[in-house]
Amino acid sequence: MTEQDEQWRRVEIPDLGLAFGYPCRTPGGQVVWLDDVRLHACSEDGVEAYFELSRHLDTTAVARYEEERDFLLARYEAAVTPLTAGTFHEMPAHDFSAAFGDTARTFVLVERGRWLYRVVYDPRSQLNLAVLETIRID
C-alpha cells in the first residue's frame, strides 16, 4: 500500500457528537468525495432560530434553485421569488426567498469550484441574522 492510499480525511463535529473518517482515494486510485453534508438547527418553535447549512457536489445555483422551487411549490404551495445574483461575505452568490403559511425562508447559494454551499434561514429573526454573520466558507 502506498502512502497516498493510506491517507484519510477526518470529519469531526464535536458539538453534535459526530466524527468519522474516509479515505482520500480508493485502492484503485479513485478520488473519494464527501458530497452532500447538511446541518439543520432550529429552536423548538422553528421561529426564534432556524438555520440550514449544506454543501453539494457538482451542481449549480440555478439547478438547486429549480429543485427547491419545484419542491416548495408542490409541497407547500409557497410563493417563491426569482433567483437573483448578489454576494455573501464578499463572494459571488445567488439568493431567493419563499413564504408559506406563517413561514418565511431565505436561501443563499454560493458556488465555489465543484461545490455549492446552501444557507437557509428565517430572515425575520435577529438571532438568525447574527448566526448568518458567523458563517465562513473556505
Side-chain angles (χ1 to χ4, degrees), residues 30-61:
Q30 297 181 53
V31 173
V32 176
W33 292 101
L34 179 60
D35 55 5
D36 290 356
V37 176
R38 179 179 179 254
L39 300 173
H40 180 207
C42 67
S43 57
E44 289 179 19
D45 65 3
V47 175
E48 283 188 278
Y50 184 92
F51 239 90
E52 292 181 47
L53 302 171
S54 59
R55 179 178 86 158
H56 310 270
L57 182 63
D58 290 335
T59 191
T60 65

Side-chain angles (χ1 to χ4, degrees), residues 1 5 26 30 39-40 52 54-55 58 63 69 71 78 81-82 86 96-97 103 113 117 125 128 131 135 138:
M1 207 177 239
D5 293 329
T26 67
Q30 297 181 53
L39 300 173
H40 180 207
E52 292 181 47
S54 59
R55 179 178 86 158
D58 290 335
R69 180 198 60 209
F71 171 79
T81 65
F96 68 97
S97 296
T103 301
Y117 294 86
S125 165
N128 289 336
V131 172
I135 296 172
D138 294 330

Side-chain angles (χ1 to χ4, degrees), residues 5-130:
D5 293 329
E6 295 173 356
Q7 292 181 359
W8 283 59
R9 288 199 174 110
R10 181 136 178 96
V11 175
E12 295 185 40
I13 308 172
D15 289 347
L16 298 180
L18 177 65
F20 64 94
Y22 65 95
C24 297
R25 292 192 176 272
T26 67
Q30 297 181 53
V31 173
V32 176
W33 292 101
L34 179 60
D35 55 5
D36 290 356
V37 176
R38 179 179 179 254
L39 300 173
H40 180 207
C42 67
S43 57
E44 289 179 19
D45 65 3
V47 175
E48 283 188 278
Y50 184 92
F51 239 90
E52 292 181 47
L53 302 171
S54 59
R55 179 178 86 158
H56 310 270
L57 182 63
D58 290 335
T59 191
T60 65
V62 170
R64 189 69 196 190
Y65 166 74
E66 290 171 351
E67 291 174 23
E68 297 277 0
R69 180 198 60 209
D70 293 349
F71 171 79
L72 291 162
L73 290 170
R75 180 146 185 204
Y76 301 109
E77 296 181 3
V80 180
T81 65
L83 186 65
T84 59
T87 60
F88 180 77
H89 296 298
E90 301 179 8
M91 294 177 287
H94 291 83
D95 62 75
F96 68 97
S97 296
F100 48 97
D102 292 337
T103 301
R105 297 289 184 259
T106 295
F107 295 72
V108 178
L109 306 170
V110 180
E111 294 179 23
R112 302 281 290 178
R114 294 181 63 194
W115 296 102
L116 176 75
Y117 294 86
R118 174 183 168 267
V119 178
V120 183
Y121 64 98
D122 185 334
R124 301 169 297 182
S125 165
Q126 290 299 312
L127 183 58
N128 289 336
L129 299 178

